[in-house]
Amino acid sequence: MKKKKLNKNSITSILKISDPFLMVDHFFEKKVGKKGIGKKKVNLKDWYFKSHFIDEPVMPGTLQIEAMLQTIALIVYKKSGSNLDRCLITKTKSNFYSKINKSGELKIDAQINKDKKNIIEAKATIFFKNKKVSDGLFGFIKTGKLKINLWKNLLIKV
């Protein structure tokens, strides 16, 4: 599969997520099914800055986690092509190192560490103005083709 850049419209079509909750504006595939980079422009006029810590606005950590998850999902879904396997998040571990409280661009560097038997382990790091601001480790189960009872059993074992 040819590596390429995805724009916001393509990302919305793949993830089935739209503004204002879409946390990736562009996606660059680095290694098919393994690595990718998401980009997100943030602006002090964005909805979350207006309502999150009014006197000292910052980008919420939950939205940073969402940016990491969406970038990882793009790696997985892009590899699947038209045969998309939806993923259920089974675990998250995140760290935050500094605030995002200015306009600029996020760079979300994501990588799949394991993809076996419908279980995925991945990691992602967010950089803002060339500084690491957050990272996370994530677990997923591909649920798209699994019967509901099977993935419930997998959840118990993970």
Side-chain angles (χ1 to χ4, degrees), residues 8 11 22-27 38-40 67 70-71 74:
K8 201 169 189 173
I11 294 167
L22 186 64
M23 293 291 121
V24 180
D25 296 329
H26 300 282
F27 174 77
K39 299 273 183 150
K40 172 69 176 171
Q70 289 179 16
T71 303
L74 285 165

Side-chain angles (χ1 to χ4, degrees), residues 21-81:
F21 208 62
L22 186 64
M23 293 291 121
V24 180
D25 296 329
H26 300 282
F27 174 77
F28 306 87
E29 192 174 55
K30 287 177 73 177
K31 187 173 180 185
V32 177
K34 296 287 183 191
K35 292 183 180 183
I37 294 176
K39 299 273 183 150
K40 172 69 176 171
K41 285 192 188 279
V42 295
N43 186 308
L44 285 176
K45 294 179 182 178
D46 288 337
W47 64 272
Y48 45 86
F49 283 122
K50 294 175 186 175
S51 57
H52 192 251
F53 299 126
I54 296 166
D55 295 332
E56 208 175 315
V58 298
M59 182 180 193
T62 54
L63 295 181
Q64 293 176 51
I65 292 169
E66 185 64 25
M68 290 187 266
L69 291 169
Q70 289 179 16
T71 303
I72 292 165
L74 285 165
I75 296 169
V76 173
Y77 296 166
K78 186 112 177 24
K79 180 182 175 188
S80 299

Side-chain angles (χ1 to χ4, degrees), residues 4 16-17 40 49 57-58 62 66 89 106 109 113 116 122 129 132 135 140 145:
K4 66 179 188 175
K16 306 298 184 211
I17 298 172
K40 172 69 176 171
F49 283 122
V58 298
T62 54
E66 185 64 25
I89 302 162
L106 303 180
D109 196 349
N113 295 331
K116 278 189 168 177
K129 299 190 182 265
K132 182 178 176 178
D135 61 23
F140 303 87
K145 296 189 181 92

